[in-house]
Amino acid sequence: ALSKIMRRMENDPVGRRILKERPLVNETVADRAFALLESERNNLQSAMVETHSNISNKDNTLIDEPKSFGAAYAKFLKSHGYHPNERDPIRFITDPDLAYVMTRYRQSHDYWHALTGLPPTVLGELALKWLELFQTGMPLAALSATGGAFGVSGLSAIEKEILWEVYFPWAARVGGRRMKEGSLMCVYYEEEFETGLEELRDRLGIEAAPVVDLL
């Protein structure tokens, strides 16, 4: 599967550049995203102060809503206490090119959370694994997606129903039909931080994942 992903990347101009330059998601990348999120919030607060004497709860919600992809990524990391340096290095893959592809795949996971709006809950992770499976065909994604769907993950009956009736159709529609096969791995995400979140979604053919209230 890694070889197939690498071939797709080699056949894509952005993918080829990623393979050549081998960007890594590290503290410097995260700091850029955090700075962008802070800048967006400060700019919106300043604009609201100029036109309102009091900032309402609705305005606070708008301030907290990221506009750019980088800010959305930063909000995801900050909201869940994640840091890119927490991921373990790749082992047991001797080919350096394939090892990098696997590294890029794993490090892009949080970018995909930001793009889709899926939370890092068991249900959210399984929904994202289905999307990854349709996009990459990775055995790891297949194992996680099918194992969770058939009860290995400990989902409740309601959560299983939501997975099959809401998130599986969403992943099939987005990852299997709307998006070009393998395109998730051919995005230079670090260069898209200033791009509007909705603009990037539209360009890639991604629709935000459905929001389901389990209550």
Side-chain angles (χ1 to χ4, degrees):
L2 284 175
S3 297
K4 187 176 180 181
I5 292 172
M6 188 168 73
R7 286 195 299 271
R8 290 176 188 149
M9 295 177 73
E10 289 171 340
N11 290 327
D12 181 272
V14 177
R16 282 196 301 274
R17 195 155 61 86
I18 291 171
L19 291 174
K20 180 180 179 180
E21 298 177 8
R22 299 195 176 188
L24 295 173
V25 183
N26 52 28
E27 187 172 353
T28 300
V29 171
D31 286 345
R32 277 184 54 216
F34 289 137
L36 189 58
L37 177 62
E38 187 67 20
S39 175
E40 282 190 13
R41 287 176 171 173
N42 289 340
N43 290 341
L44 191 53
Q45 281 180 325
S46 297
M48 288 180 172
V49 167
E50 290 179 1
T51 55
H52 297 81
S53 57
N54 295 308
I55 298 178
S56 67
N57 290 334
K58 181 179 180 181
D59 291 335
N60 279 324
T61 300
L62 290 174
I63 291 172
D64 197 48
E65 193 65 31
K67 301 297 184 294
S68 66
F69 167 65
Y73 170 62
K75 182 182 178 182
F76 174 81
L77 293 179
K78 195 170 185 179
S79 298
H80 303 289
Y82 291 166
H83 196 282
N85 287 345
E86 294 174 350
R87 292 193 180 277
D88 295 329
I90 298 299
R91 300 176 181 176
F92 311 119
I93 301 178
T94 56
D95 185 296
D97 295 326
L98 294 180
Y100 175 72
V101 172
M102 186 63 182
T103 296
R104 185 64 175 174
Y105 168 76
R106 291 182 58 194
Q107 290 190 343
S108 295
H109 182 79
D110 289 343
Y111 288 149
W112 300 337
H113 271 290
L115 271 175
T116 61
L118 285 165
T121 59
V122 173
L123 188 57
E125 292 289 358
L126 288 172
L128 187 53
K129 285 301 178 186
W130 274 113
L131 179 63
E132 292 178 17
L133 177 58
F134 282 113
Q135 271 288 295
T136 68
M138 284 286 287
L140 179 61
L143 181 63
S144 299
T146 56
F150 289 107
V152 177
S153 62
L155 292 177
S156 68
I158 293 177
E159 288 172 325
K160 289 178 187 176
E161 182 178 347
I162 292 171
L163 182 63
W164 279 114
E165 296 187 3
V166 177
Y167 288 121
F168 176 77
W170 166 81
R173 180 172 65 253
V174 175
R177 294 196 293 273
R178 290 189 58 176
M179 299 182 69
K180 181 181 177 182
E181 185 180 19
S183 58
L184 273 181
M185 290 292 292
C186 295
V187 180
Y188 212 131
Y189 294 102
E190 296 80 5
E191 295 183 350
E192 301 286 359
F193 275 10
E194 286 77 18
T195 304
L197 178 59
E198 294 303 326
E199 177 186 342
L200 186 58
R201 283 172 173 167
D202 288 344
R203 191 200 313 159
L204 296 177
I206 291 177
E207 64 181 74
V211 177
V212 179
D213 187 355
L214 292 176
L215 298 179

